[in-house]
Each structure stands twice: as C-alpha cells, then as structure tokens.
Amino acid sequence: MRILIVEDEEDIARSIAAAVERHGYIADIAHDGEEAHFLGFTEDYDAVILDLGLPRRDGLSVLRDWRQEARLFPVLVLTARDSWQDKVEGIDAGADDYLAKPFEMPELLARLRAIIRRHRGLGSARLSFGPLEVDTRHAQALLSGQPIPLTPLEFRLLNYLAHKQGEPAARSELLEHIYGTEAERDLNALDALITRLRRKIGSGIIRNRRGHGYYLASVDDEAPASTPPATRATRKGTHEA
Ligand code: CA
C-alpha cells in the first residue's frame, strides 16, 4: 500500500510517515500543493493524507482537481481548525474523511485503514484467505491463528494482495505498491520475495494466474494443491535455519 502524505510541516510529515511505515505501508511526502497535485496525477496511491493549509496551492483546490479528473483514491483530510465549515468543504470537495489537528496517531491510522477498506468494499480490519489471516490493525499475518514472522517488505506484499481480495496483481503493480523507491523496484527481487513468502505461508494461498499476476486464494476456492499448503510450507521454509 502506497500512501501520499501532503503536509508542509516537516516534523508532522515525518512522524506520519514513520507511523504509516511501521504499519505496513510505504509513504511519499509532498510539502506543498503543487507537488501534491503532480504526484496525485502521476503515481498510483492507495490513499492520500492531505493537509488543507499548504504553500503554493491549497489542499482543497488540489483535491477538487484530482476528483474532477477521476483520481479516486481515498483521501483523509487534515484540518488545522476543528471548524465545521472546513469539514463540509473538505467532504464536498471529495474527501472520504477528515481529522482535526492536533490529532493522535492511532486515530489517524484507524481512519486511514477505514477509508482504504471502504474504498475497496471490505468490512473488516482482518482479511482471511483459508488459514491465512492478515491483521491490518497490528500489521501482522497469522497462519492457523499463529503469528508468522515476516519482514516489513513481506508484510507489505501480503497486505497489498489481501486488499485485492483475490483479484490478481501484475508484477509491475506490485513493484509500485510495495517498494519505497524506484531504485528498489526490481523484478528479480520481487520474484525472490514471492518465493520466500510462499515458503512461509504455502504456495496454495499465493497463486499466479498466467498473464494476470499474483493473487491470494482461500485454499478451497479452486483446485487446491494435493498437499495442504500450510503444512508443506512450514516444513520446507522455517525449520531449516
Ligand atoms: Ca499546513
């Protein structure tokens, strides 16, 4: 999940970025309205956190432009004052939710998760695929109820696929949504990452549809592998080291 944080106050921007990165997202920061406007049109974000009071161009006009051009990513607006006029204007301009400053980080994270869920039509903070459960609240994955030790990158991949709800994601799409910088986006590294993750959770859950990409399957939803994927994975992967 790739999040755009639009905030001109450097320390607030950095602390939001650090918090979202701890929770399984990657973050880009825009420090003014022009930069935000540009990034919103050129990058494919899973959500945007948008401060309204910005240099060079105000947040509301940036948001209106995005919406007019059908940039439909969910947007959480940050308002400096807790005035009802700001909220009304923000929502009318196309915001999905708002948060008044100063705010508590756990509330920002909860609202961020909620707008992403609603945008994708998901009802719960826990996403299940057979024995696999992705707990977005705690940025954790469980297999048959047991937490799986995952690197941040492994979790980001799993979390992204979980939010797609069985719809395949092409490798290029995965690169864009789970790696921080363009320099890290490497198809070979992605293939190696998927191999490692399959060892941990089983190849029956992370599947590939030729020409379409990777997706998560509930184990029983289509021709399951002959060996239960969970058991096979544990034996091969985690016990070697
Ligand atoms: Ca501001």
Side-chain angles (χ1 to χ4, degrees), residues 205-227:
I205 296 177
I206 303 180
R207 297 197 198 175
N208 186 275
R209 188 170 299 148
R210 264 183 95 95
H212 295 273
Y214 290 97
Y215 65 102
L216 296 185
S218 302
V219 180
D220 6 316
D221 80 332
E222 60 179 72
S226 49
T227 321

Side-chain angles (χ1 to χ4, degrees), residues 7-9 51-55 80 101:
E7 170 60 80
D8 55 316
E9 286 169 71
D51 183 33
L52 291 187
L54 295 168
K101 286 178 174 175

